[in-house]
Amino acid sequence: MVELSRPGVGGGWDLRGEEHAMDVQALRARADELMAQFERMRSGVGDLQQQIKTVKATVTSEDGLVTVTVGPRGQVTKVEFDPRIYRRPNSKELSATVTETIRRATEQAMAEVEKLLRPFVPDSQFQAYIDHDLDGIFRQLDSDLPGEERR
């Protein structure tokens, strides 16, 4: 099917096929989706920043001897040792316990941050945002455009 649109600048008629009309509709739909996403982000960004700043995770090792608290970026903010730790002076074991406890606390904090961010970032781009992968974000945006070849 071919449709005639209004006369262009030169006064001639613009002939457009169905494919072009569908591309325009798809672009409009994508633009509407992006605008809605932008509005959600803009309206909630202040609260989101405050919520993210308060994220912390505190984890105690399985043996109860090490407790670690981390902040929203996984940064260690506090390490506590139970006094019983001095009864077993094995530095390699202590090091492994501290490292594992930090890893678990960081996982918990990052999971909370991801939960807070989830409503603001499209699923198709979420992992790239979490990984700070700008190339991945732009590739996803490019692939969302109608008529664009996959890169």
Side-chain angles (χ1 to χ4, degrees), residues 5 19 47 67 92 96 110 117 131:
S5 62
E19 184 178 321
D47 289 340
T67 301
K92 287 183 181 181
M110 295 310 295
L117 287 173
D131 294 340

Side-chain angles (χ1 to χ4, degrees), residues 7-99:
V9 175
W13 288 90
D14 186 17
L15 298 175
R16 298 176 185 214
E18 283 182 25
E19 184 178 321
H20 180 74
M22 288 177 16
D23 283 350
V24 170
Q25 287 176 337
L27 283 172
R28 283 188 184 141
R30 181 66 178 143
D32 290 344
E33 179 185 327
L34 289 172
M35 284 304 295
Q37 177 186 343
F38 173 74
E39 286 301 320
R40 276 194 317 273
M41 290 176 73
R42 193 178 81 173
S43 67
V45 76
D47 289 340
L48 177 63
Q49 284 177 328
Q50 291 306 313
Q51 289 175 328
I52 289 175
K53 285 180 183 178
T54 65
V55 168
K56 70 178 180 177
T58 300
V59 172
T60 299
S61 62
E62 290 180 19
D63 61 9
L65 299 177
V66 178
T67 301
V68 174
T69 301
V70 300
R73 295 177 312 229
Q75 74 278 19
V76 176
T77 58
K78 187 176 185 180
V79 176
E80 297 177 66
F81 297 104
D82 185 288
R84 294 176 296 145
I85 206 159
Y86 298 109
R87 294 182 195 154
R88 298 185 328 191
N90 181 338
S91 63
K92 287 183 181 181
E93 185 180 318
L94 176 59
S95 175
T97 299
V98 169
T99 301

